[in-house]
Amino acid sequence: MCKQSSDGNWQPVHRTEVIKNNLNPQWRQFSIPVRILCGSNYDQSIKIVCYDWDSDGSHDLIGNAETTLKEMITVSSGQQVQWPCINPKKEAKKKNYQNSGIIHLSSCQITKEYTFLDYVLGGMQINFTVGIDFTGSNGNPLSPSSLHYINPYDPNEYIKAITAVGAVCQDYDTDKFFPALGFGAKIPPDNKLSHEFPINFNPANPFCKGVDGILEAYRQCVPQIRLSGPTNVAPIIYHAAQFAAHAQQEDGAKSYFVLLLLTDGVISDMEDTFKAILYASGLPMSLIIVGVGGADFTLMNMLDGDDGVLRAPSGEPVKRDIVQFVPFIQFLNSPPSELAKHVLAEVPSQVTQYFKMRGMVPLNQQSTAT
């Protein structure tokens, strides 16, 4: 599809998928902003160009059709919208030439695209949860070389990451009470290994008051536990997902959940983690993973869907990309705002993708949307 620019030339704005070996192809539905399709001018000419695909790239023109968005949207009122597909060369050469086929439009709808800010102003709450890696590879917390060493004058990487990301997230939550969980440690009173425990040791109320509350619980937690392993993170993801699943049952775009997972190495339960992410991808939830320390995190990039669609071991694709992985070492000499900006960059689009997938508008727009 092409739109006509001010100089009269045609500018491509969308390409469909290729359908092979089919004389009556049906293309998938697609979305395109009105401003891109026609500069928000419903009367501006739009050209539909149809080619016969060739593997060597020398595609043969089947024909063109011209229309406007004003004409296209009449299909929503039940009118039949179709155009003859005209090949100019054939039309000029053949006296009885009529067309090279008929292009039928099956549906065309104009829908409002809501932004992250629209949902926030509508009353959506961001619920922030922290998951902290307490496996043995972090080093003995009593040693200054440990990633969990508590130095009152020089915050460790865990503290810096929690502070930077939490400071932004807490501004989107009215009560500012956040669950803070640990994994990979042996915990009191019976010294049993746990892959999911509240760092305030209160299972009935794992919430901490604001970022300062999380940091205070973290400092109190470190001396009371024994670092162990392995690095299993699926239980923490499922823990956060159960709250997101509960919120999904509510009416309206009220809640969205962000899990900040801090780990010092490649996770041990990769297969279970893929399954957990697949499950969470259908929920109002995003997962931010920050790698602390100097480990090789190459394998962790598998969880970030930026290079392709993430799939579970069964081959089932995630419903949407919800994972962002960032190695903290890249921001060691940067201000906290830079880390927060980077790790939270994809959250706004993930929020809008989720609510669009569910057909949900901002709370303050519900009356106008029905």
Side-chain angles (χ1 to χ4, degrees):
M1 298 189 76
C2 305
K3 71 176 179 181
Q4 195 167 26
S5 57
S6 57
D7 60 6
N9 292 321
W10 292 99
Q11 176 185 354
V13 294
H14 178 76
R15 297 181 189 274
T16 70
E17 75 281 9
V18 174
I19 297 180
K20 301 178 182 178
N21 306 319
N22 192 330
L23 296 177
N24 295 289
Q26 292 187 350
W27 290 277
R28 291 194 299 263
Q29 288 189 359
F30 61 91
S31 298
I32 183 171
V34 173
R35 59 180 173 79
I36 293 177
L37 178 63
C38 59
S40 301
N41 180 356
Y42 285 37
D43 293 311
Q44 180 173 325
S45 293
I46 298 168
K47 181 185 282 189
I48 302 170
V49 187
C50 189
Y51 288 96
D52 181 20
W53 181 85
D54 288 321
S55 59
D56 63 2
S58 58
H59 314 314
D60 301 316
L61 177 67
I62 295 176
N64 307 317
E66 287 191 34
T67 184
T68 63
L69 182 56
K70 185 176 182 179
E71 179 184 25
M72 292 170 67
I73 59 177
T74 60
V75 72
S76 60
S77 60
Q79 294 188 39
Q80 186 180 43
V81 179
Q82 61 184 41
W83 310 276
C85 190
I86 304 298
N87 186 309
K89 289 184 179 180
K90 290 184 178 181
E91 186 178 37
K93 290 181 178 180
K94 297 181 180 180
K95 184 177 180 180
N96 296 323
Y97 177 81
Q98 291 184 331
N99 59 65
S100 298
I102 303 295
I103 300 174
H104 298 266
L105 180 66
S106 58
S107 66
C108 180
Q109 291 182 317
I110 305 290
T111 58
K112 179 175 174 55
E113 289 283 320
Y114 292 100
T115 66
F116 174 71
L117 187 58
D118 289 330
Y119 286 103
V120 171
L121 294 177
M124 180 202 67
Q125 297 285 304
I126 294 287
N127 300 275
F128 180 55
T129 302
V130 177
I132 303 174
D133 181 345
F134 287 112
T135 55
S137 54
N138 283 278
N140 186 343
L142 297 177
S143 169
S145 62
S146 171
L147 292 169
H148 282 302
Y149 181 68
I150 305 297
N151 183 338
Y153 305 105
D154 184 18
N156 63 38
E157 292 184 24
Y158 284 95
I159 291 176
K160 289 178 180 177
I162 293 170
T163 302
V165 180
V168 176
C169 288
Q170 71 176 357
D171 287 339
Y172 297 100
D173 190 301
T174 51
D175 65 17
K176 294 179 173 48
F177 276 95
F178 310 118
L181 309 170
F183 61 94
K186 295 180 179 180
I187 62 173
D190 49 12
N191 202 37
K192 283 188 177 179
L193 175 64
S194 175
H195 296 296
E196 176 199 337
F197 63 92
I199 64 173
N200 65 0
F201 302 110
N202 185 352
N205 184 16
F207 295 88
C208 302
K209 178 62 175 176
V211 174
D212 289 341
I214 296 174
L215 297 179
E216 180 58 27
Y218 168 73
R219 294 187 182 98
Q220 296 293 326
C221 171
V222 171
Q224 300 183 60
I225 61 175
R226 289 180 57 194
L227 275 56
S228 185
T231 310
N232 291 352
V233 302
I236 294 277
I237 298 174
Y238 280 119
H239 179 100
Q242 71 180 349
F243 291 99
H246 178 75
Q248 192 177 56
Q249 306 307 313
E250 300 176 346
D251 293 329
K254 296 179 181 178
S255 301
Y256 194 87
F257 295 77
V258 174
L259 171 60
L260 171 62
L261 200 59
L262 304 161
T263 180
D264 81 315
V266 176
I267 59 180
S268 306
D269 59 340
M270 190 67 81
E271 184 171 324
D272 288 338
T273 298
F274 276 124
K275 293 177 182 177
I277 292 172
L278 173 64
Y279 171 63
S281 69
L283 301 173
M285 177 175 166
S286 292
L287 172 59
I288 297 169
I289 305 175
V290 175
V292 299
D296 182 359
F297 291 108
T298 304
L299 291 177
M300 296 294 281
N301 288 312
M302 295 170 55
L303 302 175
D304 195 321
D306 290 346
D307 296 329
V309 178
L310 183 68
R311 296 178 182 272
S314 63
E316 183 180 356
V318 294
K319 296 176 178 62
R320 58 195 181 90
D321 178 18
I322 65 168
V323 181
Q324 173 78 339
F325 172 74
V326 177
F328 186 85
I329 196 169
Q330 293 180 359
F331 299 90
L332 273 178
N333 300 315
S334 303
S337 59
E338 279 301 306
L339 173 65
K341 178 182 177 181
H342 195 83
V343 300
L344 295 171
E346 295 183 10
V347 171
S349 62
Q350 290 170 355
V351 169
T352 56
Q353 286 167 6
Y354 170 77
F355 289 122
K356 181 180 180 181
M357 180 179 74
R358 295 291 309 281
M360 302 172 76
V361 304
L363 293 174
N364 59 357
Q365 299 291 322
Q366 285 185 323
S367 58
T368 60
T370 54

